[in-house]
Amino acid sequence: MPQTSENLIRTERLEALRTIVVQVLELGPDELTETSHFVDDHDADSLLALEILARIELDLGVAIPQEDLPEMVTLTAVYDVVARNADWEISHA
């Protein structure tokens, strides 16, 4: 099935977020899945969560309220929070 431009944009944005999370959590690229839990599967803590938040703001220019931080427990959840705050359309293709 060919990718639509919407799916391609989502894939590119998801990869940008994956890069940030992998770097902050010091993971190998294959260790992070869209649903692996940052705390339970990758031993993340609140300081690392704040660092992910700061990197998203710095690298992508998207301001995320700290109240949204508890939702950001997986890559998919991070995408949804960023999409909501950046007015990206949310689709799980």
Side-chain angles (χ1 to χ4, degrees):
M1 177 192 298
Q3 277 203 330
T4 65
S5 61
E6 190 174 288
N7 287 344
L8 191 56
I9 290 170
R10 181 188 185 280
T11 299
E12 290 173 356
R13 289 173 172 164
L14 194 59
E15 285 309 306
L17 292 171
R18 176 188 303 276
T19 298
I20 290 169
V21 173
V22 163
Q23 289 175 350
V24 171
L25 299 183
E26 298 180 353
L27 300 172
D30 295 334
E31 292 180 79
L32 180 68
T33 69
E34 289 187 25
T35 58
S36 61
H37 196 277
F38 297 165
V39 175
D40 296 339
D41 298 325
H42 304 298
D43 298 325
D45 59 23
S46 58
L47 291 177
L48 290 172
L50 286 171
E51 190 172 336
I52 290 169
L53 196 69
R55 284 283 310 276
I56 289 169
E57 290 184 17
L58 183 67
D59 293 3
L60 302 179
V62 179
I64 309 291
Q66 285 194 18
E67 301 84 54
D68 289 351
L69 201 53
E71 294 178 49
M72 300 171 66
V73 296
T74 66
L75 185 59
T76 298
V78 169
Y79 181 90
D80 290 347
V81 168
V82 174
R84 183 174 65 233
N85 286 284
D87 291 327
W88 297 346
E89 188 169 317
I90 298 174
S91 69
H92 295 281

